[in-house]
Amino acid sequence: MIKRKKLFGLIFLAFASLLLAIVYPNQSVNANIRKYDNRTVKVQKMKTYKVGVTDTAWAGTHVKISRVKVVKFKKFKDPITKKTYHGYVAVKMSVNPTQRDISFNPTLGSVLTSDGQQVDADGFDSGSWDGDLDKGVKRSGTVYFNLTKLKNPKKIKSIRLKWDADYETDDVNDNNANKTYDITVNLH
């Protein structure tokens, strides 16, 4: 009877681990190891900030930035870009266009960190949760920005995010059809 319970326990543990790997493919069971940019990296330091930045000023679109994570990992050289990366900034956000269909593209945007790094979003790791969104659809995702310098995540005190959005219109006098989001998030 005890062997049967152990067997069922091991099967359950294996199934739970497999399920976690499927549901959270970029996470690892070990908190110090992460899957990033198709490689396993060792996290050295990490700082997570819960933020509540919202923007509803354009075309009935509700944007919320809920979390910013600054991660320093053991450096690696990307064989494609030939750049050496020391960490990343990950920005968790959601969008809900309530009045019209829009095109919303933070994964094509950029970040300016308080230590002076201007970096384009990493579209590969950010995924494809943005783009063309129908009215009433709520989407959320994380935008990643690779950093070529990072000694201590706590040294980044703010980030400035910029990305474009637009909607289609036949009205040539509609000056509101294009929007460049420009949002500064203080990290404390």
Side-chain angles (χ1 to χ4, degrees):
M1 187 68 162
I2 293 174
K3 287 183 181 181
R4 182 179 280 172
K5 285 183 180 180
K6 283 185 179 180
L7 179 62
F8 284 125
L10 289 173
I11 291 171
F12 175 76
L13 185 60
F15 178 74
S17 296
L18 179 62
L19 185 61
L20 283 172
I22 291 169
V23 174
Y24 301 104
N26 292 330
Q27 302 297 317
S28 172
V29 176
N30 182 341
N32 292 325
I33 303 292
R34 292 279 191 263
K35 282 288 200 188
Y36 183 70
D37 208 26
N38 266 349
R39 50 180 53 81
T40 301
V41 295
K42 183 175 182 349
V43 173
Q44 295 174 325
K45 296 178 185 177
M46 178 171 38
K47 181 68 178 162
T48 301
Y49 301 92
K50 290 187 179 185
V51 296
V53 176
T54 59
D55 186 308
T56 58
W58 177 72
T61 302
H62 297 259
V63 177
K64 180 178 181 184
I65 299 171
S66 58
R67 184 179 68 219
V68 175
K69 189 182 292 188
V70 184
V71 177
K72 176 177 176 41
F73 48 69
K74 185 175 179 182
K75 69 180 179 177
F76 71 86
K77 187 170 185 172
D78 186 306
I80 296 171
T81 66
K82 307 293 187 219
K83 292 181 180 179
T84 300
Y85 296 110
H86 293 260
Y88 63 81
V89 172
V91 180
K92 174 80 172 162
M93 67 171 61
S94 63
V95 59
N96 182 7
T98 63
Q99 293 179 358
R100 61 185 338 133
D101 299 348
I102 65 168
S103 182
F104 183 84
N105 298 296
T107 63
L108 299 176
S110 65
V111 69
L112 175 63
T113 62
S114 59
D115 68 349
Q117 297 182 74
Q118 182 174 338
V119 180
D120 290 334
D122 180 341
F124 179 78
D125 285 307
S126 298
S128 60
W129 59 272
D130 60 348
D132 293 334
L133 304 175
D134 291 339
K135 171 183 154 184
V137 170
K138 184 175 182 179
R139 291 268 180 89
S140 62
T142 303
V143 184
Y144 291 88
F145 302 92
N146 299 326
L147 301 177
T148 56
K149 303 182 299 186
L150 185 61
K151 291 188 182 208
N152 185 346
K154 292 180 181 179
K155 297 283 185 181
I156 296 183
K157 303 294 185 188
S158 66
I159 59 171
R160 180 180 176 197
L161 300 160
K162 292 177 80 174
W163 72 91
D164 292 327
D166 62 71
Y167 58 81
E168 291 184 16
T169 181
D170 292 331
D171 183 356
V172 294
N173 294 320
D174 186 349
N175 295 325
N176 199 38
N178 298 296
K179 165 79 170 169
T180 297
Y181 280 90
D182 189 341
I183 298 175
T184 297
V185 180
N186 293 313
L187 305 176
H188 44 74

